[in-house]
Amino acid sequence: MKVPKQMKRLCPKCKKHTPHKVSQAKRKGLNATHHQTWGSRKRQSLRNRGVGIGMGNRGRFSRKAITKFKMTGKKLTKKTDFRYECGECKYVSVQATGMRLKKVEIQ
Ligand SMILES: [Zn+2]
């Protein structure tokens, strides 16, 4: 998808339409994600040591634990994460919901 470098959007701070600069934030990998998230390395190492996380059945599920850190059913595309910077007040707003795109061109 081709995305224009600059587009007119509503700035929530200025409360009017102003030209915004479009940039894409880098999607964070598995290591950068939070240690409490499902499938994080820390969580997995705790589970391997027998230290349960959470309540009830200590974070165990009816299926086998993930031993390899390969996402099963890996998706071919990444979701976009656009940042819109207001040209007047420099306020950066984040894209509400990303789209799954194979290729993104900011021009
Ligand atoms: Zn603004």
Side-chain angles (χ1 to χ4, degrees):
M1 191 177 130
K2 284 173 185 171
V3 185
K5 237 181 221 172
Q6 240 191 18
M7 53 169 90
K8 239 182 169 190
R9 300 183 104 244
L10 181 82
C11 176
K13 217 175 175 189
C14 305
K15 281 170 184 161
K16 63 179 179 183
H17 278 79
T18 51
H20 279 66
K21 228 165 82 182
V22 183
S23 63
Q24 202 185 15
K26 206 180 166 190
R27 281 264 156 194
K28 281 176 181 169
L30 197 70
N31 292 335
T33 52
H34 199 257
H35 61 273
Q36 282 181 329
T37 52
W38 172 252
S40 71
R41 267 166 207 225
K42 175 138 192 202
R43 191 187 163 102
Q44 189 58 50
S45 74
L46 283 169
R47 284 176 70 191
N48 289 342
R49 277 191 279 146
V51 186
I53 305 166
M55 289 156 75
N57 66 348
R58 292 175 145 192
R60 277 175 277 132
F61 284 77
S62 53
R63 61 177 181 177
K64 272 186 169 176
I66 304 160
T67 47
K68 275 181 193 167
F69 272 96
K70 257 186 179 176
M71 273 177 88
T72 45
K74 198 170 187 179
K75 294 197 168 47
L76 296 166
T77 52
K78 288 260 185 289
K79 273 190 179 178
T80 58
D81 191 10
F82 291 133
R83 303 283 150 106
Y84 304 101
E85 193 189 305
C86 176
E88 285 184 22
C89 67
K90 307 283 175 201
Y91 180 82
V92 179
S93 47
V94 185
Q95 186 186 23
T97 45
M99 297 168 273
R100 285 210 171 269
L101 299 172
K102 266 196 172 168
K103 199 174 167 187
V104 181
E105 260 182 74
I106 296 168
Q107 43 181 219

